[in-house]
Amino acid sequence: MTDGIKVADVGEIDEGEAISVSRDVAGTDDDIAILRDDDGEFYALDDTCTHEEASLADGWISDGEVECPLHAGKFCLKTGAVLSMPATRDTKTHKVEVRDGCVWLFPGEPAAS
Amino acid sequence: MESTTPTAAAAAAETTESLSAPGLRKAGDPTRGSIKRPTELAPNIDVSGLVDSESGLLDRAIFTDEQIYRQELRRVFAPSWLFLAHEDQFKKPGSFFTTYMGEDPVIVTKDKSKTIRAYLNSCRHRGARVCRADFGDTKNFTCTYHGWSYDLEGKLVSVPNKAGYPDSFDTKDWGLVEVAQVQSYRGLVFGTWNPEAPPLAEALGQMAWYMDAMLDKDPEGTVVVGGIHKWELEGNWKLAAEQFATDWYHVNMSHASALMVMSPTGKGPKDEIVHRTGRQYVDPNGHGAGFPVHPKNRFDAQTVHQYYDYDVLRERLGDARVEGPLTNGHATVFPNFSYLPVNGSIRVWHPKGPDRMEVWAWTVLDKSMPPEVREAQRLYNLRTFGPSGIFEQDDGENWSEVQAISRGFVTNGVPLNYQMGMGSEIDDGRHAGQTSELYSDAAGRSFYSKWRDLMTTPAWHEDTE
């Protein structure tokens, strides 16, 4: 298990918005999307859609789901489970913590389900 | 004159296609291969015998013939500057609005560098529209058929099962077809497929002096208020465009009931208001504008009238414009964009075949107007020139009436009269360019002369070899 990485101040990511953390920084196979739901909660998923080459950090986030900006495949923010065609494979979650007004990412460590 | 939105097509040439003509292909273009259209598919009719500007006569076939209509799409709409949208509709990158240029569906959007650009709304794969919404905000345009996806710069960024295509397939070749030039004039965004078209400001010429009477009252510019109304009518698009260019003549007859209702007494306007004199601007490029001239011309909606300080407007725009085209009047920018200064209605007459049009109407008002004045003007516009407006109804009835009977064999062969105000155009020393009388067909004759000239001249996309 890795130590957490500070990826942003809470105020830097609006509700319904996301950022992408480079794999070089995260030390993972894929970039990681830090996604903030419209209720203010933070989640992290592998950034690349499991369907085609697309960044989920560019997607539409609301109501516990992220919709891929290209082909409208959907994933559960909490579990990474695929929720809609044309995507058919689940994606990976990563643990995120909010501490002292900052967002901490634990790359490779699955979110508690 | 100003041109606020730079042309993006040149900068994007590497990633998006500019329109190359049917039948005209660049050597080695992988998107065309050996595709070559036979010229018989697009036969050109010599229409010079259908428009007699010198005698002021018009053959009705120009309103009814399918072949002439298809030639119009190629030679009038494709080469001309066409109104697309108002800049106010694009607040941020990804804001988009879908409309038509002639019958071609286009997406107008703001790219990541905040440049307004326009693309043919048709997937390069099987041709479906890649944007099916009227307006909104997006990050990509994805075809709902097979999922080809394009970014805000028109680049093809995703092809499902790309591995199935040959090595020669390069997504760089298959971006959205981009409108060759997009430019703005005082917030109004125009586009043309014609890479060789002169700049918008040049195409508008002195018409801009009249447009400024509506668009430059407020140093802050204009904004769009409320939604865009769209309705369909029986009637060739030129019937509407022509009327807005050249026709105050119909007002007291066609709109008699509306004018009676609107008058303060309910018994009709005073004789001196009905018999106002005025001028009609006649533009050599087919634009036209007519307006009564009177020192006390005013905006009709009381709240709007009280809002304006006419002395300030006189200082800003000059007496001639305040006493003329500022308030009551009509105007057309060739070919199919028209407006009414009195209520801020701007509209496009979209062609939908020789006998049908769609009217798309925006309400455009001064940015500095307080909310209650905007609302008063919006309601006044709805009441008069909204889709069910008491004036708009009269106009639509006339155009549909003319169209409905014009396919009769004998009817169609009887020329129409456009002779009012023959030879009356002068430099009146007060208004820009050449003007005729308020009641005149002069701008109409110029409108149809321009139409005839375009229809008889091969457009840039035609293979003239």
Side-chain angles (χ1 to χ4, degrees):
Chain A
M1 292 300 147
T2 59
D3 294 332
I5 305 169
K6 191 172 109 175
V7 291
D9 293 333
V10 167
E12 287 174 335
I13 306 174
D14 288 338
E15 287 159 7
E17 298 293 330
I19 60 167
S20 177
V21 177
S22 160
R23 64 193 75 191
D24 301 336
V25 174
T28 44
D29 291 340
D30 190 9
D31 298 343
I32 297 177
I34 311 292
L35 311 118
R36 190 172 192 190
D37 202 357
D38 44 19
D39 65 0
E41 285 294 308
F42 286 91
Y43 301 90
L45 301 174
D46 273 6
D47 189 42
T48 306
C49 183
T50 62
H51 167 240
E52 290 284 340
E53 183 78 28
S55 164
L56 294 182
D58 286 338
W60 305 96
I61 301 155
S62 78
D63 218 9
E65 300 174 5
V66 57
E67 178 184 314
C68 176
L70 289 191
H71 304 107
K74 286 184 194 173
F75 300 90
C76 175
L77 291 172
K78 200 169 176 184
T79 66
V82 66
L83 300 173
S84 173
M85 286 275 286
T88 51
R89 292 189 301 274
D90 296 345
T91 191
K92 272 196 225 141
T93 63
H94 302 268
K95 182 178 158 189
V96 181
E97 268 182 18
V98 175
R99 236 190 298 133
D100 309 325
C102 298
V103 183
W104 296 79
L105 170 68
F106 298 80
E109 189 175 333
S113 53
Chain B
M1 290 289 167
E2 62 177 4
S3 172
T4 51
T5 308
T7 299
E14 283 177 25
T15 54
T16 54
E17 291 283 302
S18 57
L19 178 72
S20 38
L24 187 72
R25 92 191 152 86
K26 294 170 274 182
D29 180 346
T31 70
R32 290 201 169 263
S34 61
I35 294 287
K36 183 165 178 21
R37 283 202 151 187
T39 51
E40 295 78 11
L41 264 183
N44 287 307
I45 295 173
D46 180 2
V47 301
S48 53
L50 303 177
V51 178
D52 182 351
S53 311
E54 289 64 42
S55 307
L57 297 168
L58 210 56
D59 189 305
R60 297 190 207 193
I62 71 165
F63 299 126
T64 55
D65 186 81
E66 176 70 27
Q67 274 200 62
I68 288 177
Y69 174 72
R70 294 166 75 91
Q71 189 169 327
E72 270 181 349
L73 297 181
R74 298 194 298 273
R75 287 189 167 178
V76 176
F77 285 95
S80 297
W81 282 102
L82 304 173
F83 177 76
L84 298 177
H86 191 288
E87 283 179 349
D88 186 41
Q89 294 176 264
F90 309 95
K91 308 275 194 226
K92 57 182 183 187
S95 298
F96 69 85
F97 173 68
T98 53
T99 183
Y100 290 87
M101 295 172 71
E103 287 218 43
D104 292 309
V106 292
I107 306 167
V108 190
T109 190
K110 190 172 246 185
D111 73 9
K112 283 184 180 159
S113 70
K114 299 190 175 173
T115 302
I116 295 177
R117 296 165 71 162
Y119 307 102
L120 187 68
N121 190 3
S122 175
C123 186
R124 297 293 301 275
H125 175 235
R126 289 292 188 274
R129 282 176 294 164
V130 297
C131 182
R132 305 273 289 265
D134 293 341
F135 63 92
D137 295 292
T138 192
K139 291 167 180 175
N140 294 283
F141 300 105
T142 300
C143 181
T144 51
Y145 196 173
H146 302 88
W148 281 29
S149 192
Y150 305 84
D151 67 12
L152 300 177
E153 285 71 37
K155 277 188 292 194
L156 178 60
V157 292
S158 179
V159 176
N161 194 35
K162 189 164 169 241
Y165 286 88
D167 291 343
S168 59
F169 175 80
D170 188 341
T171 52
K172 282 197 191 71
D173 295 328
W174 299 94
L176 292 175
V177 173
E178 182 160 15
V179 175
Q181 300 192 63
V182 175
Q183 291 176 20
S184 295
Y185 184 73
R186 294 209 190 283
L188 306 184
V189 184
F190 290 76
T192 175
W193 296 109
N194 183 1
E196 297 157 16
L200 175 62
E202 196 178 310
L204 293 175
Q206 289 181 293
M207 184 66 197
W209 188 85
Y210 295 89
M211 294 169 77
D212 286 356
M214 180 167 93
L215 301 170
D216 195 30
K217 296 193 295 289
D218 181 354
E220 297 294 310
T222 56
V223 291
V224 177
V225 179
I228 296 156
H229 292 117
K230 305 172 180 180
W231 65 98
E232 199 183 355
L233 281 177
E234 180 173 12
N236 183 279
W237 67 274
K238 294 189 291 300
L239 295 169
E242 163 214 308
Q243 181 185 300
F244 274 65
T246 201
D247 199 328
W248 190 267
Y249 185 37
H250 76 288
V251 171
N252 291 325
M253 184 71 200
S254 289
H255 301 309
S257 60
L259 292 169
M260 298 272 291
V261 169
M262 301 267 295
S263 68
T265 61
K267 294 175 183 167
K270 290 179 187 161
D271 181 70
E272 60 263 34
I273 291 179
V274 172
H275 293 106
R276 276 179 295 190
T277 56
R279 305 300 297 169
Q280 182 180 96
Y281 170 59
V282 184
D283 188 285
N285 280 318
H287 319 310
F291 44 88
V293 173
H294 193 278
K296 290 189 176 172
N297 271 353
R298 47 171 286 177
F299 286 92
D300 278 358
Q302 190 64 18
T303 313
V304 178
H305 168 63
Q306 285 164 351
Y307 164 72
Y308 279 115
D309 183 333
Y310 291 90
D311 290 335
V312 170
L313 290 172
R314 279 173 189 273
E315 205 155 296
R316 184 168 181 79
L317 295 165
D319 292 342
R321 283 191 280 198
V322 172
E323 294 171 13
L326 183 86
T327 53
N328 274 296
H330 55 77
T332 288
V333 174
F334 187 92
N336 66 331
F337 174 70
S338 299
Y339 65 87
L340 298 167
V342 73
N343 53 16
S345 176
I346 66 172
R347 63 263 308 279
V348 177
W349 319 105
H350 284 309
K352 298 287 174 189
D355 57 353
R356 298 202 77 78
M357 69 177 115
E358 261 183 43
V359 189
W360 288 27
W362 291 244
T363 309
V364 166
L365 301 176
D366 292 356
K367 196 170 186 177
S368 302
M369 268 187 177
E372 66 277 12
V373 183
R374 279 190 200 190
E375 184 62 5
Q377 186 69 319
R378 189 183 72 83
L379 290 176
Y380 173 77
N381 182 29
L382 269 183
R383 207 152 42 225
T384 54
F385 283 92
S388 61
I390 54 177
F391 288 82
E392 193 70 44
Q393 289 289 303
D394 300 332
D395 291 332
E397 168 66 18
N398 287 332
W399 303 327
S400 295
E401 163 64 18
V402 171
Q403 190 71 38
I405 58 158
S406 57
R407 280 198 305 179
F409 165 68
V410 175
T411 317
N412 199 263
V414 180
L416 300 174
N417 182 307
Y418 286 75
Q419 296 175 325
M420 196 187 295
M422 290 288 279
S424 64
E425 299 96 312
I426 53 164
D427 178 349
D428 67 23
R430 193 165 161 81
H431 306 99
Q434 294 273 303
T435 64
S436 174
E437 304 295 328
L438 175 64
Y439 298 107
S440 172
D441 294 324
R445 288 190 295 274
S446 182
F447 176 92
Y448 286 111
S449 295
K450 175 70 178 181
W451 180 87
R452 178 195 57 205
D453 291 349
L454 285 173
M455 287 288 278
T456 50
T457 307
W460 94 97
H461 55 76
E462 291 179 57
D463 191 349
T464 50
E465 284 169 24

